[in-house]
Amino acid sequence: MNENQVSNTSLWTAYMRAYHCIHATDKIFDDFLAYDLVPEDVREQIEQQIIPEVFLPATNNIVTRARYTEDILEETIRQGVNQYVILGAGMDTFALRRQDLMENLKVFEIDQPTTQDFKLQRYAELGWKIPENLYFVPIDFTKQNLETELTHLPSYDPEAKTFFSWLGVTNYLTREEVETTLRSIANITSSGSILVFDYIDINELNLNKQSEQLQKSTEYLEKVGEPRKTGGFNSLRLAEDLASLGFNLVENLSPSDIERRYLKRCTDIQHSLRYMNFACAVIK
Ligand SMILES: C[S@@+](CC[C@H](N)C(=O)[O-])C[C@H]1O[C@@H](n2cnc3c(N)ncnc32)[C@H](O)[C@@H]1O
């Protein structure tokens, strides 16, 4: 992705959370700030580009991954987690939306500087106050080392029980970049800290004939300048791969698992993205 460009996909995912919040009859995730966060002209541009057969499954994917993450986060906060690192945060609104959970929590949003600047400017335009315990840390995973950047911050405590989320990002990195970042996470936090992330099952990429859903989303990502790289995993080998990087896999949800858990009452023809999986792992 061009580092001088605000992430287009981060605006799309915020738009999708807003769309779900406004239109869903069976609400999975309530991002009531997302609509205002996406500027009107951006909303209009997005609306002109929507391909319904991709938009609805992608929206279901975005809201289920957010729900999955924040359900586990909330549970772990009750168990004593007091730092939350959002890797590739984009337009994530957790810190403002869940002020009920912010009292004993420090939140670190990591993203590329241009996207963070855009978000900060938008918060200022909307008059939204940034909580004192929310830190914006500009990092490009392809150029900087997460370990070095986070451990330099006086506010970040490597001894604390920490929750990391990494949603919608591994897709845009190479496998090597993903592994480097995973090693950094394992190195900068205490045993028992938690990571939730989503990933593309590389078996889907390797198929002789990829699904139409996957082909269309690949074409779209190329068009908006955020092409997919190969940072996925073979879902059948995920436990071994993570173990070699310092993690114990706790849960690995396939698209069918996700649909069964969250989308049973969904009437869309294609409920979710058939190539995206969610995983939860604990640092050894
Ligand atoms: C699809 S958006 C997801 C945003 C957010 N996590 C969500 O679920 O709505 C991908 C995010 O990853 C960020 N990202 C992509 N490549 C990155 C990199 N090399 N370093 C840091 N952030 C990156 C983008 O700027 C963008 O905010």
Side-chain angles (χ1 to χ4, degrees), residues 12-177:
W12 270 84
T13 53
Y15 179 90
M16 287 169 175
R17 287 191 297 274
Y19 180 92
H20 174 80
C21 184
I22 292 164
H23 297 284
T25 45
D26 192 16
K27 211 179 276 182
I28 294 163
F29 189 77
D30 189 12
D31 191 344
F32 55 89
L33 296 176
Y35 182 82
D36 287 332
L37 184 53
V38 183
E40 194 178 349
D41 59 327
V42 176
R43 287 200 300 265
E44 283 170 8
Q45 281 164 27
I46 290 176
E47 278 153 12
Q48 282 163 19
Q49 293 172 38
I50 286 175
I51 309 169
E53 61 271 32
V54 180
F55 179 77
L56 291 174
T59 299
N60 286 337
N61 173 258
I62 301 307
V63 295
T64 51
R65 78 183 184 198
R67 166 73 182 274
Y68 178 65
T69 304
E70 292 195 15
D71 278 357
I72 302 176
L73 171 64
E74 202 168 340
E75 178 60 30
T76 55
I77 289 173
R78 277 197 287 273
Q79 293 165 8
V81 158
N82 58 8
Q83 290 190 126
Y84 177 24
V85 181
I86 313 178
L87 302 161
M91 302 301 130
D92 190 301
T93 57
F94 171 84
L96 276 72
R97 180 172 35 80
R98 293 303 310 266
Q99 292 190 13
D100 56 316
L101 297 176
M102 287 294 285
E103 198 179 340
N104 297 314
L105 194 68
K106 282 189 259 179
V107 176
F108 299 86
E109 292 200 11
I110 316 283
D111 210 306
Q112 289 175 328
T114 315
T115 297
Q116 283 197 335
D117 289 347
F118 172 89
K119 186 178 188 180
L120 286 166
Q121 195 188 326
R122 188 68 190 142
Y123 276 10
E125 278 165 15
L126 292 162
W128 291 357
K129 192 170 171 297
I130 296 167
E132 274 174 20
N133 43 351
L134 169 60
Y135 304 88
F136 286 87
V137 191
I139 297 180
D140 183 330
F141 300 119
T142 64
K143 301 199 173 85
Q144 290 150 287
N145 186 280
L146 179 69
E147 182 171 348
T148 319
E149 302 298 326
L150 259 190
T151 49
H152 274 157
L153 293 179
S155 43
Y156 178 79
D157 178 4
E159 305 298 325
K161 204 49 91 50
T162 303
F163 186 97
F164 293 81
S165 72
W166 205 13
L167 302 181
V169 190
T170 57
N171 214 5
Y172 303 104
L173 302 174
T174 63
R175 179 61 182 261
E176 200 185 337
E177 288 159 355

